[in-house]
Amino acid sequence: MKKDFLKELLEKSEIYPTAEQLEKFAVFQEELREWNQKFNLTAIEEEEEIIIKHFYDSLLGMKITGWQSRSRLLDLGTGAGFPGIPLKIINPDLQVTLVDSLQKRIGFLDHLIQKLQLTGTQAVHGRAEEMGQNKEYREKFDYVVSRAVAKLSVLSEYCLPFVKPGGKFLAYKGPEGLEEYNGAKKAIQELGGNLYEMKDFVLPKQESKRLIIVIQKTAPTPGRFPRRPGIPAKKPLE
Ligand code: SAM
């Protein structure tokens, strides 16, 4: 992998990866390429694109003020591990729970966790709507991150139940995020959240725009949320 390219990009963002961390990204990229030939894990295959749109993009969440590395983080709808695995590689002290409803993705993640020796990291096969009602996971996380899973009103119902009061939910969005936020304000309040901040970014090279919306949990989520599997997407909160 073009380790120097990744290193330079991260250093410009004041993230200083060690040689060991860069090697983990190289192995991650190689495993992604190999497994992608058998299973559809990502549509992005070109090396620089993986570096920018998966690795660098995943780490944008660290630019949010108040980020603590010794925390519990859940990545909802992680797919091939984004943004959770890059965040774990750079912050080895994070306790990370990766969640996805597709078993074959969990198979890849279990393999990767072993291969990269990511301690304090687990991949869980499950749906947000069920896990969010499970005491083992409900209101247990300092951070919940999620990228490319659902529009913000639906995503908030998936994610906010996992966040501890005082913790934060980071929705990784593109420019459409602003309109989504305007349509989700009431739902977010009902779920116990409040806007903490929004930060926009421009990815290098293709210059795609990104918006990270940070919602702080200010009150417990009422027990009726999340609703049954399929309902949040079918009947989004208004
Ligand atoms: N977050 C990754 C990324 O940005 O590359 C993957 C995005 S992929 C488009 C969406 C993922 O969310 C899929 O892997 C899908 O299985 C998962 N997903 C969708 N709805 C879910 C739900 N209700 N609970 C758990 N996972 C879900």
Side-chain angles (χ1 to χ4, degrees):
M1 193 192 69
K2 298 174 177 170
K3 286 187 194 168
D4 288 347
F5 178 65
L6 176 61
K7 186 166 183 269
E8 260 173 49
L9 280 185
L10 295 184
E11 285 182 354
K12 274 191 203 147
S13 298
E14 294 169 9
I15 296 171
Y16 301 97
T18 62
E20 192 192 335
Q21 287 168 330
L22 287 170
E23 178 56 23
K24 288 190 176 181
F25 280 108
V27 174
F28 188 0
Q29 193 246 327
E30 186 51 33
E31 293 294 326
L32 204 51
R33 196 189 58 75
E34 241 174 62
W35 281 62
N36 220 19
Q37 291 167 357
K38 293 176 271 172
F39 307 103
N40 178 22
L41 287 174
T42 173
I44 299 174
E45 292 188 3
E46 199 270 319
E47 203 177 310
E48 275 197 6
E49 254 197 310
I50 290 185
I51 292 177
I52 295 172
K53 292 195 176 163
H54 281 331
F55 298 163
Y56 179 83
D57 189 47
S58 292
L59 294 170
L60 289 177
M62 286 177 57
K63 302 274 108 193
I64 303 299
T65 46
W67 181 264
Q68 304 278 336
S69 72
R70 279 179 191 278
S71 310
R72 283 195 79 186
L73 176 143
L74 182 142
D75 180 6
L76 194 272
T78 185
F82 303 111
I85 294 208
L87 287 169
K88 172 67 188 177
I89 294 176
I90 292 294
N91 300 280
D93 292 336
L94 276 183
Q95 298 292 306
V96 174
T97 300
L98 305 162
V99 176
D100 205 280
S101 53
L102 268 188
Q103 180 59 49
K104 65 175 184 179
R105 301 203 161 140
I106 299 300
F108 170 71
L109 294 169
D110 280 337
H111 166 78
L112 198 65
I113 288 168
Q114 280 242 315
K115 184 101 188 172
L116 301 181
Q117 299 180 320
L118 300 176
T119 53
T121 306
Q122 55 166 351
V124 182
H125 177 221
R127 285 189 70 125
E129 300 94 313
E130 286 163 341
M131 288 180 62
Q133 289 291 359
N134 180 335
K135 276 201 201 119
E136 203 182 321
Y137 302 104
R138 189 177 176 93
E139 302 200 323
K140 292 286 190 290
F141 295 87
D142 304 287
Y143 295 102
V144 176
V145 294
S146 190
R147 187 182 82 159
V149 173
K151 68 171 183 173
L152 192 62
S153 56
V154 177
L155 194 65
S156 299
E157 187 171 353
Y158 289 165
C159 293
L160 277 169
F162 293 111
V163 184
K164 278 183 193 167
K168 291 181 187 124
F169 155 44
L170 276 62
Y172 281 61
K173 292 285 176 186
E176 76 292 347
L178 190 56
E179 206 182 314
E180 286 186 19
Y181 173 72
N182 287 326
K185 273 187 200 165
K186 251 185 78 190
I188 292 168
Q189 272 213 330
E190 202 175 349
L191 292 158
N194 237 309
L195 181 66
Y196 179 78
E197 69 176 322
M198 280 193 202
K199 273 204 175 177
D200 49 11
F201 301 93
V202 178
L203 290 183
K205 298 244 170 180
Q206 298 95 340
E207 311 214 322
S208 331
K209 292 189 173 155
R210 292 288 185 265
L211 181 71
I212 298 193
I213 302 174
V214 186
I215 309 290
Q216 185 156 38
K217 181 102 162 228
T218 47
T221 300
R224 63 184 184 281
F225 301 121
R227 290 167 292 166
R228 281 181 291 117
I231 305 292
K234 214 178 291 166
K235 294 186 180 166
L237 294 173
E238 285 174 359

